[in-house]
């Protein structure tokens, strides 16, 4: 049962809301009308799911070379506007596409054998610049790593390659992947295809952006505080954070400091189309895919649907936009109409109000390292105050938000302190409550974020809003960001996230597919004349 918000916190929330409204007004004055439009999508190949493209390539209805050429043209068309791609391997990828076409034409394997052994043969794939792809940049947006190239593929990318996917490009991230706007001193800032004055999220922001602009068939992201789901939401695509420890994190930089942090981090699939997520996850999980029973049919008529409209008033967290509340209620109404009122229940779990504090505490570990060590390329702690001083004179190679995050990180409770222990207990209580609630046939529908995509730099004024996604990481549950078709009143994507119990990823994905059928999923970015 929900508890009332303390009076002092309610007053603080009211003042914070007024301040946010004033800040939003200022940003609107600064940015004015919507930014530059991306060119319209004129190539029908770009409108196919990765699953559909793979099927057509196997059946020789399309060639892999033809598909890669279409996506490469689209990248060249949109990247000058969006700055989502930071490295490419077009020539080598086209050679690999020709080899895929030759393999298919050789008749060495039947169509059925190819579908089983190489389900994404010849389909182009992208990933973010922190997931290693052999021979490509591996900077994680850190200036000190600006010339680093990967010596091997990340485990997840190696599995996708084995399944026939062909890497074509790397996409932009936030500095060391620890902020929710993709901007760094190596590659600059990425812009949203729906409004170039808005953010793409982070740290998989470049990946969300390239997908939304129809410049990639599908891609890989990583998520330790919402870094798949926030970009998926802001860019109107699907993104899935798997259950903890199902997909290998080997090849991700920066690597987690502890085994528990490793359980919070999840590499997962991103796509414009819900049908791609399940086969991608099955491949990425490797031998652990057996834990997920992804081939098992999900009977939605036997499921329970819970929904919560907000975190209940978290400190320094924005109120949920009216557009998003309305979207949530449309989802609930659809589920009631299709599956019955008794299957859908509105809830309010009070522990969600402390999501940010729980996330920050549980991210602590006994290594003694923090974000300043990550900014030092996992070799040393940088002097954050000195670098901040240098930043004001344009002499630092770090971003302002990276330095600010390091300072904020150092101010959090220490591992093993009474406050730490208290917040770990709060996490465990919420985890147990959700496990009991969801069982093996329930999902929680929850906002992915309290607002639609903010303006560039605006997240600095509302840094704790990531708590809506971050809490799921420390709980370890799977969660899928789902776009809801029709754009909101600001011309930006709307969506929700679907959360399920441990290893019940298939429930998230089945509900995502249902909502895509009902509401339309990804919507093309509008062309403004």
């Amino acid at each position: 049962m929900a508890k009332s918000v303390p009076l002092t916190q309610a007053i603080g929330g009211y003042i914070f809301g007024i301040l946010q409204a004033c800040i939003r007004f200022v940003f609107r004055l600064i940015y004015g009308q919507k930014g530059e439009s991306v060119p319209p999508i004129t190539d029908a190949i770009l409108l196919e799911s990765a699953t559909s493209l793979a099927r057509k390539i196997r059946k020789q209805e399309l060639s892999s070379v033809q598909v890669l050429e279409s996506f490469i043209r689209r990248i060249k068309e949109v990247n000058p506007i969006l700055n989502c791609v930071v490295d490419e391997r077009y020539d080598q990828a086209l050679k690999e596409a020709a080899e895929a076409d030759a393999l298919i034409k050789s008749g060495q394997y039947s169509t059925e054998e190819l579908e089983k052994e190489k389900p994404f043969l010849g389909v182009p794939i992208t990933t973010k610049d922190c997931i290693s792809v052999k021979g490509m940049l591996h900077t994680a947006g850190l200036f000190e790593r600006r010339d680093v190239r990967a010596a091997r593929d990340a485990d997840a990318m190696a599995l996708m390659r084995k399944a026939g996917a062909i890497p074509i490009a790397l996409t932009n991230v936030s500095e060391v992947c620890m902020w929710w706007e993709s901007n760094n001193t190596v590659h600059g800032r990425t812009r949203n295809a729906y409004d170039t004055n808005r953010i793409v999220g982070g740290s998989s922001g470049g990946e969300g952006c390239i997908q939304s602009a129809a410049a990639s068939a599908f891609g890989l992201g990583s998520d330790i505080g919402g870094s798949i789901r926030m970009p998926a939401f802001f860019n109107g695509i699907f993104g899935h954070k798997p259950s903890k420890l199902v997909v290998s994190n080997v090849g991700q930089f920066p690597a987690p400091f502890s085994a528990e942090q490793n359980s919070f981090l999840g590499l997962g699939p991103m796509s414009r189309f819900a049908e791609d997520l399940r086969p991608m996850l099955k491949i990425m999980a490797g031998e652990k895919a057996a834990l997920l029973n992804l081939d098992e049919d999900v009977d939605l008529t036997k499921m329970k649907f819970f929904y919560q409209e907000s975190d209940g008033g978290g400190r320094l967290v924005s109120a949920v936009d009216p557009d998003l509340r309305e979207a949530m209620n449309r989802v609930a109404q659809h589920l009631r109409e299709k599956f019955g009122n008794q299957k859908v229940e509105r809830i309010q779990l009070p522990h969600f109000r402390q999501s940010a504090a729980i996330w920050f505490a549980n991210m602590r570990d006994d290594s003694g390292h923090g974000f300043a060590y990550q900014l030092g390329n996992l070799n040393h702690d940088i002097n954050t105050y000195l670098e901040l001083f240098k930043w004001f004179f344009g002499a630092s190679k770090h971003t302002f938000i990276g330095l600010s995050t390091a300072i904020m990180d150092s101010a959090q409770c220490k591992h093993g302190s009474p406050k730490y222990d208290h917040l770990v207990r709060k996490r465990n209580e919420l985890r147990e409550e959700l496990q009991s609630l969801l069982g093996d046939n329930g999902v929680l529908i929850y906002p992915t974020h309290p607002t639609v995509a903010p303006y560039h730099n605006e997240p600095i004024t509302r840094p704790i809003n990531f708590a809506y996604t971050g809490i799921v990481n420390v709980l370890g549950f799977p969660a899928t960001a789902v776009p809801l078709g029709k754009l909101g009143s600001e011309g930006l994507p709307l969506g929700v996230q679907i959360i399920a119990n441990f290893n019940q990823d298939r429930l998230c994905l089945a509900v995502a597919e249902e909502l895509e059928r009902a509401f339309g999923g990804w919507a093309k970015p509008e062309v403004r004349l």
Side-chain angles (χ1 to χ4, degrees):
M1 176 177 276
K3 297 179 182 179
S4 60
V5 179
L7 179 61
T8 54
Q9 188 173 337
I11 294 172
Y14 180 70
I15 294 171
F16 181 69
I18 293 174
L19 181 61
Q20 291 290 292
C22 294
I23 291 170
R24 169 50 63 93
F25 177 74
V26 171
F27 273 96
R28 280 180 176 155
L29 288 179
I30 293 171
Y31 285 103
Q33 299 298 315
K34 283 193 172 185
E36 188 176 357
S37 296
V38 294
I41 302 165
T42 56
D43 186 338
I45 288 175
L46 304 177
L47 298 175
E48 301 268 0
S49 69
T51 302
S52 174
L53 289 171
R55 186 184 308 116
K56 290 184 176 182
I57 290 170
R58 284 194 299 271
K59 293 181 176 181
Q60 300 185 54
E61 296 172 11
L62 289 172
S63 71
S64 177
V65 169
Q66 184 182 2
V67 171
L68 262 71
E69 286 176 342
S70 289
F71 281 100
I72 291 169
R73 279 196 301 270
R74 181 63 175 173
I75 291 172
K76 291 179 178 179
E77 189 175 43
V78 301
N79 204 52
I81 300 169
L82 303 177
N83 190 39
C84 50
V85 170
V86 300
D87 196 14
E88 48 83 8
R89 58 187 301 276
Y90 300 149
D91 291 343
Q92 190 173 352
L94 286 168
K95 291 178 183 176
E96 292 168 8
E99 291 170 1
D101 289 332
L103 177 64
I104 294 167
K105 290 178 181 177
S106 72
Q108 182 178 347
Y109 300 99
S110 68
T111 302
E112 293 74 19
E113 288 172 329
L114 286 173
E115 183 176 8
K116 181 179 179 181
E117 300 298 326
K118 292 184 176 295
F120 285 113
L121 181 61
V123 180
I125 191 170
T126 50
T127 192
K128 61 195 288 193
D129 178 21
C130 72
I131 297 174
S132 58
V133 179
K134 186 177 180 180
M136 300 192 77
L137 286 174
H138 195 210
T139 76
L142 186 62
F143 188 81
E144 189 175 338
R145 295 178 60 85
R146 64 194 180 278
D147 296 321
V148 173
R149 291 190 174 271
R152 51 156 288 182
D153 288 336
D155 286 357
M157 179 56 78
L159 289 168
M160 290 301 297
R161 282 221 218 208
K162 185 178 179 182
I166 300 174
I168 58 169
L170 280 185
T171 52
N172 205 18
V173 296
S174 52
E175 187 176 21
V176 200
C177 301
M178 287 298 286
W179 184 240
W180 48 283
E181 176 170 12
S182 292
N183 178 41
N184 58 70
T185 58
V186 184
H187 305 301
R189 188 187 308 277
T190 301
R191 294 173 283 276
N192 194 304
Y194 295 89
D195 180 353
T196 54
N197 290 330
R198 306 287 186 132
I199 73 168
V200 295
S203 61
S204 308
E207 194 57 40
C209 178
I210 196 174
Q211 301 290 335
S212 72
S216 174
F218 57 168
L220 306 185
S222 58
D223 189 319
I224 200 169
S227 290
I228 286 173
R229 288 161 292 145
M230 280 188 291
F233 167 65
F234 292 144
N235 294 281
I237 67 163
F238 294 87
H240 181 71
K241 184 206 83 69
S243 293
K244 66 177 184 177
L245 302 176
V246 167
V247 176
S248 169
N249 295 323
V250 173
Q252 148 88 26
F253 183 92
F257 294 138
S258 67
E260 187 169 51
Q261 273 193 11
N262 190 57
S263 75
F264 302 157
L265 175 64
L267 271 66
M270 302 176 72
S271 177
R272 284 171 288 145
F273 303 98
E275 73 168 336
D276 292 335
L277 301 183
R278 191 187 305 252
M280 288 181 73
L281 180 58
K282 185 177 179 181
I283 293 164
M284 295 171 68
E287 294 180 357
K288 290 187 177 181
L291 298 172
L292 305 182
N293 298 313
L294 292 170
D295 292 330
E296 183 179 311
D297 289 336
V298 175
D299 187 348
L300 294 173
T301 65
K302 295 181 179 178
M303 284 185 59
K304 299 177 294 184
F305 303 94
F306 302 94
Y307 71 102
Q308 182 164 325
E309 295 179 353
S310 76
D311 66 357
R315 186 176 285 113
L316 300 182
V317 177
S318 299
V320 176
D321 282 353
D323 272 1
L324 295 173
R325 283 186 178 271
E326 182 184 345
M328 174 76 73
N329 286 310
R330 287 202 309 271
V331 168
Q333 185 58 31
H334 165 74
L335 296 173
R336 286 192 184 101
E337 291 175 355
K338 186 160 185 178
F339 302 111
N341 284 332
Q342 73 279 9
K343 297 285 189 178
V344 184
E345 181 181 347
R346 183 178 181 272
I347 62 171
Q348 189 68 48
L349 302 181
H351 280 320
F352 274 115
R353 193 183 302 155
Q354 293 183 277
S355 292
I358 292 172
W359 185 87
F360 277 114
N362 281 272
M363 283 291 289
R364 312 308 288 180
D365 65 84
D366 58 3
S367 69
H369 298 313
F371 191 51
Y373 189 71
Q374 293 179 330
L375 291 175
N377 196 25
L378 301 185
N379 292 320
H380 59 91
D381 285 320
I382 67 164
N383 185 326
T384 50
Y385 292 99
L386 175 60
E387 289 296 330
L388 189 60
F389 178 78
K390 289 164 60 179
W391 182 88
F392 282 105
F393 295 94
S396 178
K397 298 302 183 183
H398 297 288
T399 59
F400 173 79
I401 196 59
L403 298 171
S404 301
T405 302
I407 292 170
M408 184 167 64
D409 174 67
S410 67
Q412 301 303 314
C413 66
K414 303 303 180 185
H415 182 271
S417 68
K419 185 176 181 181
Y420 167 86
D421 291 338
H422 169 74
L423 290 167
V424 169
R425 285 195 300 272
K426 289 290 185 184
R427 177 202 66 183
N428 293 341
E429 289 169 6
L430 178 56
R431 179 185 284 163
E432 290 169 7
E433 188 174 19
L434 279 168
Q435 283 185 276
S436 176
L437 180 75
L438 299 177
D440 61 4
N441 68 335
V443 294
L444 172 62
I445 304 164
Y446 192 58
T448 320
H449 201 77
T451 74
V452 294
Y455 290 102
H456 295 301
N457 294 314
E458 193 178 6
I460 295 172
T461 70
R462 48 182 76 185
I464 310 301
N465 282 1
F466 80 94
Y468 273 84
T469 47
I471 186 63
V472 185
N473 294 84
V474 296
L475 293 172
F477 295 132
T480 307
V482 179
L484 295 175
K486 180 182 177 184
L487 303 179
S489 60
E490 297 183 57
L492 298 167
L494 306 176
V496 294
Q497 62 176 325
I498 311 298
I499 303 165
N501 210 337
F502 294 123
N503 297 338
Q504 301 295 329
D505 299 56
R506 68 186 185 283
L507 303 185
C508 299
L509 303 179
V511 174
E513 292 170 7
E514 169 61 26
L515 296 183
E516 182 182 39
R517 289 188 292 268
F519 296 99
W522 169 73
K524 298 179 196 175
E526 295 176 348
V527 177
R528 295 174 293 282
L529 302 177

